[in-house]
Amino acid sequence: MILRATVTSEKRTRRIAGFSPVGFVWKAMLVLSVLHRKCECSGIHNTENKPTASKGAEFNRVYSGYVNRGVEEIYSFNYTTKPEKVDAVRVYVSANSDDQHYPVIFVIRQQNGVLSWQVPLVLRGLYQRKYTYQEVGRTLCPLEPMQEERSSEQSMFIDVASMAPFDVRYELLVTRVNHFTLETGVMFNFSATPSQPRYFLYEFPDKADSVVIKVVSNRASPCTVVSVQDIWCPVYDQDHNVEFIGVYQSMTLKAAITVQRKDFPGGKFYVVFVIKPEDYTCGGSFPSTKGKGNQTWNQDRIKDLHVTIVPSINERVYVHAMLFSFVIFLFFFLGAVIVAFVHYVRLQRQELDGLYSPDDGTGMVAASHPLASSASEGGSYGAIDESSPAAPGSHSASPMDTARCRSYSDSSAEEDSDLDTLQDMACDKNVVTAKAYVYVSDLARKDSKIVSKKYKIYFWNITTISVFYALPVIQLVITYQTVVNVTGNQDICYYNFLCAHPLGVLSAFNNILSNVGYILLGFLFLLIVLRRNILHKRALEAKDIYAMDYGIPKHFGLFYTMAIALVMEGVLSACYHVCPNYSNFQFDTSFMYIIAGLCMLKLYQTRHPDINASAYFAYATFAVVILLTVLGVIFGKNATWFWILFSLIHVIASLTLSTQIYYMGRFKIDVSNADIGFFKRIVTVLYTDCIQQCNRPMYMDRMILLILGNLVNWSFAIFGLILKPKDFPSYLLGIFICNLLLYLAFYIIMKLRNSERLRPIPLFCIIATAVMWGAALYFFFQNLTSWEETPAESREQNRECILLNFFDDHDIWHFLSAAAMFFSFLVLLTLDDDLDYVRRDKIPVF
């Protein structure tokens, strides 16, 4: 067709212009060109465009050469694989050019795939920083071992090419990996760099359902990623794709991954080690560079790693651990049953022998102050003048006299204020608060039914709070655990990976199981309180005068609340340990604050039954505390303004609470005349209490307690303002615990100072509480993780299991702290049992 078109065009030209020799030559050249093209299509090739022939190559030999736009090299390697043995090949390449526009391309063709990369290799860091490497090493994906009895021949080709207009020198070295399969219990040492990742094969031993991969290094830098991947090609061993599949975690000094056989049906997996181009992921700072931020960064980023794979625990250890967790706390139930039985037997004997007799005061040694004073001074209300039983002008308030002053109205008017300040005692409240020595009878004038109803609000409120708090928490941690299982990202949760034993979908079942003590002992304390409550109701129904007008008034609402709080602490702590991290820390500490606050409220309510904060005000205060905790975690690390604000709130709250305690809730500022009355009241109080009676405060014991308490709280405020501790929740919890212990110590000292006795059960509980808290705090401060740091830095603190090869230090903290809180509750419940047969007008208030 091309030739015919050419002839037709020639005839037309001849008719128009006539014949010309130049035109003839031009037409001949055109014809020859067309014929030449047809010859090329027929199979005639130019020898200059023939493909480069492959060169036979050998292992363990360095090959070098030059490539450019017109020159490429192909190396062929032939090797023999042995039956039932995995042979891995590793390729090392380098190039002398750092021009990213004309890299040298290396393509490896194998039987089961193609692998390629370029030199210089470009890795990206934070903010699109680029890091270039002229030396690259990769392990080729090995072939699955054949089941044949004889050896088989394998081949692979390595193409080296570049589009550079100039010569680029390269070097090539291919070796066979001698130690590609890791052995159980044998440590293997190797090195890796960002451009030379490593991975190895591991096969589960017989009768092993799970193994633990333990990796250690002597250097924290460079940051490393350890990944476990299934036997599949290609292997994701690059910084940009190592997190695509499998299970992985970042590492500085330590890493540990538990692998279960059920996740790898073939019984084999790869352990991949990738070095990050920068340490930002592991908590380090990335290097600062000038210009575009592109640089070669491979001189110091070589990391020596030591990997050991050991079998994990078997099912028998799981069974033993679960039995231990339940049996050890069932002994508490057994002990409670024995004590209840002994108490029942003693009561029966006392009823038969007629040993009930009230303590008329002869068994009570007078305190350091007189028990009576003249009626004109208003100090003898509800007190007994022991120096002269029938002294004229003296007034002795019997239990029946005290009963006459009580208000039996069912009105809920006393619920209107946040602080109950004896509003129903209008006839004598000023007399009571003006006395230098106050007794329980003075502060127990309200109808016990109304007061008990008020304290039961604590129980119903905490039950409601628990339900609404726990349900979203459970849903959230289930989502966290699902994300961890699906993505394989073990940097989400801060476990002690050296002692994290999975069960089902849970990654660290041991940390969850160890919380069972809180739940069991919480229910046990609930049963103990219920038994006491039933016995007290029976005594009231029987009109027992000792239950009505002797001893400390019995109100069990706060005790029920403490029991539920202990149960919820176990539930929420277990939820937190499903996936402990920065986002859900408050689950583990919220009810700790509530428990500490409830214990202080109960301790104060013991001798101030009619003066206490309402449930609504108390829980609102707890909500503010939890809000401050969240703000402290977010802003507490570096924000000075937060610590200034928190310190001011802390000091003001301490002074306000101290004032309310010192005046027993009767301190009020007259704001009817805002211009004069407010300041006049302040001046009057300062003059009366700080100048006129500066030599001796009216309430010396309370003043000593409050001075010590304020010193402790101000010290905490100054400590936080100066040092700014990273773990703000623990810092705040320490404030609560120190205040609680200080108040409890003051209470016990004042009890002994007033010649009150400690019965055997509360004495045993006090000793047990001290021992348990001491041991528990020892294990608590054995920090195994830290969500204030990066996951890799947190793993530096991981430790092996220390109990039954199943529980770590933090699990033992759970066991001991549950027992310590249980005994602490028993101390509050039984501390004043020695006063059950002492008249209330002889029990001092402190």
Side-chain angles (χ1 to χ4, degrees):
M1 295 293 295
I2 296 176
L3 182 59
R4 184 176 299 175
T6 303
V7 174
T8 304
S9 177
E10 181 182 352
K11 289 180 180 180
R12 291 177 180 175
T13 304
R14 184 178 298 177
R15 284 197 297 265
I16 296 173
F19 176 78
S20 173
V22 177
F24 177 77
V25 173
W26 180 81
K27 294 182 182 74
M29 293 176 63
L30 183 60
V31 171
L32 291 174
S33 175
V34 173
L35 293 174
H36 177 70
R37 290 184 179 181
K38 294 184 67 176
C39 291
E40 286 184 351
C41 294
S42 300
I44 302 174
H45 301 284
N46 189 343
T47 57
E48 293 181 357
N49 294 327
K50 288 183 179 180
T52 303
S54 62
K55 299 178 181 179
E58 300 176 355
F59 291 104
N60 302 319
R61 179 178 175 182
V62 177
Y63 294 92
S64 61
Y66 295 88
V67 290
N68 54 41
R69 182 176 299 173
V71 178
E72 66 175 304
E73 298 290 348
I74 300 178
Y75 296 89
S76 64
F77 292 84
N78 300 314
Y79 58 98
T80 303
T81 59
K82 298 180 180 179
E84 299 184 358
K85 181 181 179 182
V86 178
D87 283 323
V89 176
R90 188 163 178 83
V91 179
Y92 299 91
V93 298
S94 64
N96 65 350
S97 173
D98 58 355
D99 191 342
Q100 300 180 24
H101 298 287
Y102 298 105
V104 179
I105 308 299
F106 294 86
V107 180
I108 292 90
R109 292 175 288 159
Q110 295 178 274
Q111 175 182 331
N112 57 344
V114 177
L115 180 65
S116 64
W117 66 84
Q118 68 181 43
V119 178
L121 180 66
V122 180
L123 300 180
R124 295 186 180 273
L126 191 67
Y127 305 130
Q128 298 302 314
R129 290 176 176 268
K130 295 180 180 180
Y131 301 89
T132 59
Y133 299 87
Q134 272 69 46
E135 297 180 0
V136 180
R138 300 286 297 276
T139 301
L140 306 183
C141 190
L143 298 174
E144 283 289 331
M146 306 299 291
Q147 300 297 328
E148 302 175 358
E149 296 182 358
R150 59 181 182 176
S151 302
S152 60
E153 297 294 330
Q154 301 293 335
S155 299
M156 72 172 182
F157 297 89
I158 300 180
D159 299 359
V160 186
S162 176
M163 294 300 292
F166 49 85
D167 290 342
V168 180
R169 179 179 173 79
Y170 69 90
E171 289 185 354
L172 171 67
L173 172 64
V174 181
T175 62
R176 302 181 75 168
V177 182
N178 295 326
H179 298 89
F180 183 68
T181 302
L182 299 175
E183 299 180 7
T184 304
V186 178
M187 178 182 290
F188 181 70
N189 307 321
F190 63 95
S191 300
T193 67
S195 62
Q196 299 182 20
R198 302 290 298 271
Y199 65 87
F200 303 93
L201 176 68
Y202 181 79
E203 184 174 359
F204 279 96
D206 295 338
K207 299 181 180 180
D209 295 328
S210 62
V211 295
V212 181
I213 305 171
K214 301 178 181 180
V215 187
V216 296
S217 177
N218 298 325
R219 294 179 55 192
S221 177
C223 181
T224 307
V225 175
V226 181
S227 173
V228 177
Q229 302 178 16
D230 202 355
I231 303 296
W232 193 258
C233 293
V235 178
Y236 294 89
D237 61 348
Q238 294 293 290
D239 175 58
H240 65 276
N241 62 15
V242 67
E243 301 174 357
F244 286 179
I245 63 172
V247 179
Y248 62 91
Q249 60 182 232
S250 57
M251 168 193 169
T252 52
L253 297 177
K254 293 180 182 179
I257 301 178
T258 300
V259 184
Q260 302 182 75
R261 184 190 289 268
K262 66 181 181 62
D263 297 328
F264 298 94
K268 302 177 183 178
F269 56 85
Y270 289 133
V271 186
V272 184
F273 303 89
V274 176
I275 309 299
K276 288 279 189 179
E278 59 189 22
D279 296 332
Y280 184 80
T281 303
C282 294
S285 59
F286 53 87
S288 60
T289 57
K290 298 180 180 180
K292 299 180 179 179
N294 300 334
Q295 61 175 345
T296 299
W297 192 259
N298 57 358
Q299 282 76 14
D300 298 329
R301 301 196 67 79
I302 301 175
K303 190 157 189 173
D304 297 326
L305 298 168
H306 316 282
V307 56
T308 307
I309 302 181
V310 296
S312 184
I313 60 175
N314 53 32
E315 295 180 356
R316 180 178 298 178
V317 178
Y318 279 87
V319 174
H320 291 170
M322 286 188 282
L323 289 176
F324 171 82
S325 301
F326 284 94
V327 170
I328 192 174
F329 291 108
L330 289 178
F331 280 111
F332 285 81
F333 283 81
L334 180 61
V337 171
I338 293 175
V339 172
F341 178 75
V342 172
H343 184 261
Y344 173 78
V345 172
R346 290 183 61 184
L347 287 179
Q348 295 298 321
R349 288 181 178 178
Q350 288 176 352
E351 290 181 358
L352 293 176
D353 299 339
L355 294 181
Y356 277 130
S357 62
D359 191 335
D360 60 356
T362 57
M364 291 284 296
V365 179
S368 59
H369 54 75
L371 290 176
S373 59
S374 65
S376 60
E377 296 175 353
S380 62
Y381 187 85
I384 298 175
D385 186 356
E386 293 184 347
S387 60
S388 178
S394 64
H395 175 71
S396 178
S398 66
M400 297 303 296
D401 296 330
T402 302
R404 295 191 192 103
C405 296
R406 291 178 179 168
S407 171
Y408 288 91
S409 172
D410 291 334
S411 173
S412 59
E414 68 263 14
E415 301 292 341
D416 295 339
S417 63
D418 292 331
L419 292 175
D420 192 341
T421 57
L422 304 180
Q423 297 294 336
D424 60 327
M425 296 166 52
C427 61
D428 59 314
K429 59 184 179 183
N430 294 324
V431 176
V432 171
T433 55
K435 292 171 57 177
Y437 307 111
V438 184
Y439 298 89
V440 171
S441 60
D442 300 324
L443 302 180
R445 298 177 177 274
K446 291 187 175 182
D447 184 6
S448 61
K449 294 182 179 180
I450 296 177
V451 177
S452 295
K453 287 181 180 179
K454 179 176 180 179
Y455 287 121
K456 284 181 180 179
I457 298 176
Y458 278 92
F459 172 75
W460 293 114
N461 281 2
I462 200 170
T463 303
T464 305
I465 292 171
S466 300
V467 172
F468 281 93
Y469 196 92
L471 291 179
V473 167
I474 295 173
Q475 182 180 5
L476 179 62
V477 296
I478 290 176
T479 302
Y480 270 123
Q481 185 66 73
T482 303
V483 170
V484 172
N485 295 339
V486 172
T487 64
N489 183 5
Q490 295 197 351
D491 283 352
I492 296 177
C493 305
Y494 286 71
Y495 302 120
N496 176 19
F497 288 91
L498 288 175
C499 188
H501 302 297
L503 181 66
V505 298
L506 301 174
S507 300
F509 174 69
N510 55 304
N511 295 147
I512 299 172
L513 177 63
S514 59
N515 289 282
V516 70
Y518 297 110
I519 301 174
L520 293 179
L521 294 183
F523 279 117
L524 176 58
F525 185 72
L526 190 68
L527 295 176
I528 294 174
V529 174
L530 178 62
R531 173 183 174 274
R532 285 209 166 202
N533 195 4
I534 292 174
L535 292 178
H536 181 65
K537 285 184 177 180
R538 290 177 181 175
L540 291 178
E541 292 173 357
K543 304 297 183 180
D544 188 348
I545 190 174
Y546 306 121
M548 298 173 63
D549 297 302
Y550 286 76
I552 298 295
K554 302 295 191 296
H555 302 296
F556 298 96
L558 280 174
F559 284 126
Y560 285 123
T561 307
M562 291 159 57
I564 296 299
L566 185 57
V567 173
M568 290 308 302
E569 171 60 27
V571 173
L572 293 179
S573 179
C575 291
Y576 166 74
H577 285 90
V578 170
C579 182
N581 58 52
Y582 175 86
S583 302
N584 60 5
F585 71 94
Q586 67 272 18
F587 303 161
D588 193 32
T589 56
S590 296
F591 273 81
M592 282 288 192
Y593 303 136
I594 294 177
I595 289 173
L598 290 174
C599 289
M600 285 188 280
L601 286 174
K602 182 58 189 177
L603 200 57
Y604 185 78
Q605 178 238 344
T606 301
R607 308 231 175 188
H608 307 78
D610 292 345
I611 305 176
N612 217 329
S614 68
Y616 310 109
F617 181 78
Y619 287 123
T621 304
F622 295 147
V624 172
V625 169
I626 295 174
L627 175 62
L628 287 175
T629 306
V630 175
L631 295 177
V633 172
I634 298 174
F635 302 108
K637 293 184 179 180
N638 300 314
T640 304
W641 66 266
F642 169 79
W643 285 102
I644 295 175
L645 177 64
F646 175 77
S647 299
L648 288 175
I649 295 175
H650 187 187
V651 172
I652 293 173
S654 299
L655 292 174
T656 303
L657 185 61
S658 300
T659 304
Q660 291 291 335
I661 292 175
Y662 185 73
Y663 290 102
M664 290 187 292
R666 291 301 306 161
F667 180 81
K668 289 189 179 298
I669 297 177
D670 183 12
V671 294
S672 59
N673 190 345
D675 295 332
I676 300 175
F678 178 80
F679 298 102
K680 183 178 179 181
R681 176 62 174 165
I682 293 178
V683 172
T684 302
V685 170
L686 291 177
Y687 175 77
T688 303
D689 293 346
C690 299
I691 298 177
Q692 188 178 17
Q693 299 182 14
C694 187
N695 56 343
R696 189 180 190 279
M698 181 178 293
Y699 312 111
M700 178 61 72
D701 297 332
R702 267 176 280 167
M703 179 61 72
I704 294 175
L705 167 66
L706 296 174
I707 290 176
L708 292 176
N710 278 274
L711 288 176
V712 170
N713 283 279
W714 294 355
S715 300
F716 268 105
I718 295 172
F719 172 81
L721 189 61
I722 295 176
L723 298 182
K724 300 180 180 65
K726 292 182 179 180
D727 190 356
F728 183 80
S730 297
Y731 164 78
L732 189 58
L733 185 60
I735 294 175
F736 273 86
I737 292 178
C738 284
N739 280 275
L740 173 59
L741 294 179
L742 179 65
Y743 192 15
L744 180 61
F746 170 82
Y747 190 94
I748 295 175
I749 292 173
M750 291 301 300
K751 183 178 177 67
L752 298 177
R753 182 171 176 267
N754 286 277
S755 301
E756 297 178 10
R757 296 178 293 109
L758 291 178
R759 301 185 69 177
I761 290 181
L763 182 61
F764 168 78
C765 292
I766 291 173
I767 297 174
T769 299
V771 173
M772 289 295 177
W773 273 123
L777 291 175
Y778 170 80
F779 288 101
F780 176 77
F781 289 112
Q782 304 297 315
N783 296 322
L784 303 179
T785 59
S786 177
W787 48 259
E788 297 92 354
E789 301 173 341
T790 64
E793 291 173 328
S794 173
R795 273 185 280 272
E796 295 177 8
Q797 306 176 40
N798 288 178
R799 297 181 187 176
E800 300 281 353
C801 304
I802 63 173
L803 178 63
L804 300 178
N805 200 26
F806 191 84
F807 299 111
D808 59 17
D809 297 78
H810 197 73
D811 296 323
I812 297 178
W813 149 256
H814 287 162
F815 291 137
L816 294 177
S817 62
M821 281 192 278
F822 174 73
F823 283 121
S824 301
F825 292 178
L826 289 181
V827 170
L828 299 180
L829 182 64
T830 62
L831 188 58
D832 290 314
D833 283 354
D834 60 305
L835 304 177
D836 284 347
Y837 304 112
V838 178
R839 286 166 51 174
R840 290 176 186 171
D841 57 0
K842 305 189 67 171
I843 302 176
V845 173
F846 44 78

